Amino acid sequence: MPAKYKISYFDIRGKGELPRLVFAAAGKEFEDERLSGDKWTAFKPKTPYGQMPVLTVDDKTMINQTGAIARYLAREFGLYGSNNMENTKCDIIIETTVDVFTAMIKLHFEKDEAQKEELGKKFSTDVLPQYFTYLCKVLKENGGKFLVGSKLTVADMAAFDMLDKLTCNPTMGEGVYKDFPEIKKFYESVKTNANVQKYLEKRPAADM
């Protein structure tokens, strides 16, 4: 009997979107539980570490931490690498993408206008170009279509998630990678994957 999965997170994309995208890429069903207010307050003490996302497997085992959830699902669904080196390459891309997302979140929540302007400039002129250049290099070395190996992996989904957050951000959009046509091509390739496209078409509208 197939396992039963539930992802619990806020009604935003944030750290909960990568696990959702891994489910989508694998074509697997899951319960997408989106909590806020009193429901989150009531659920919080039941979580392993007082935070979300949380993956619940078969109504009993809870797994926390986005990276751990994504890797677990990737192993379950054949979306990791085909050997230890490919797995490690997936991990590197996931962790690199986390660094970019952390910088993006810091910018998003900065209240001081002067500091926000400085962070925004650094994000646009330093963080993103470095990230895009890195992805282009990895893509080129791997044949141009996938980031790791010869099939879609959790690494592709992690990078796609970051690119999608940028593309859907009203202050950024596709213009952020206008000088990197390889990035646009990669983004569109993952976006039009049949399973991913099906998920995106029905995905609830939500903040990054």
Side-chain angles (χ1 to χ4, degrees):
M1 184 176 178
K4 179 181 178 183
Y5 300 105
K6 178 172 71 174
I7 283 284
S8 302
Y9 192 59
F10 304 106
D11 190 18
I12 58 174
R13 296 178 191 173
K15 293 183 177 182
E17 194 64 10
L18 177 55
R20 294 169 183 151
L21 285 168
V22 174
F23 275 116
K28 300 295 183 179
E29 295 293 325
F30 71 102
E31 181 182 347
D32 187 7
E33 182 179 51
R34 296 173 180 244
L35 301 174
S36 61
D38 292 342
K39 289 184 178 180
W40 162 231
T41 301
F43 181 64
K44 186 175 182 178
K46 302 174 185 176
T47 66
Y49 203 65
Q51 58 186 205
M52 296 191 291
V54 169
L55 171 68
T56 305
V57 182
D58 291 332
D59 293 322
K60 54 183 179 180
T61 303
M62 285 187 169
I63 302 171
N64 61 310
Q65 298 295 347
T66 303
I69 295 170
R71 290 173 176 88
Y72 168 79
L73 294 175
R75 288 190 293 267
E76 288 291 295
F77 303 150
L79 290 174
Y80 226 162
S82 60
N83 54 55
N84 191 32
M85 182 54 72
E86 287 193 359
N87 292 346
T88 301
K89 288 180 178 180
C90 287
D91 292 342
I92 291 168
I93 291 164
I94 291 170
E95 296 303 324
T96 302
T97 302
V98 168
D99 289 345
V100 179
F101 181 65
T102 300
M104 186 181 186
I105 290 299
K106 186 176 181 181
L107 168 62
H108 181 76
F109 286 105
E110 178 58 54
K111 301 297 183 184
D112 183 270
E113 288 302 319
Q115 181 69 7
K116 193 178 187 73
E117 183 178 353
E118 184 178 334
L119 288 173
K121 187 180 296 183
K122 180 179 180 182
F123 190 72
S124 298
T125 62
D126 184 8
V127 176
L128 288 184
Q130 182 182 20
Y131 182 58
F132 295 153
T133 300
Y134 170 71
L135 290 182
C136 285
K137 179 176 181 290
V138 174
L139 280 168
K140 184 178 180 180
E141 291 174 349
N142 197 52
K145 186 173 183 180
F146 302 111
L147 289 168
V148 178
S150 58
K151 63 180 178 64
L152 196 68
T153 67
V154 65
D156 298 305
M157 300 319 301
F160 172 81
D161 182 30
M162 186 69 247
L163 295 172
D164 194 51
K165 286 179 169 73
L166 294 169
T167 303
C168 296
N169 189 312
T171 65
M172 297 181 188
E174 290 187 12
V176 296
Y177 46 82
K178 66 183 188 308
D179 297 326
F180 299 88
E182 304 94 333
I183 297 298
K184 180 177 176 59
K185 182 179 178 181
F186 168 78
Y187 173 72
E188 292 297 332
S189 176
V190 178
K191 185 179 180 180
T192 54
N193 170 279
N195 285 339
V196 175
Q197 188 172 26
K198 182 179 178 182
Y199 167 74
L200 295 176
E201 287 173 352
K202 65 179 183 179
R203 177 174 65 179
D207 292 339
M208 73 169 188

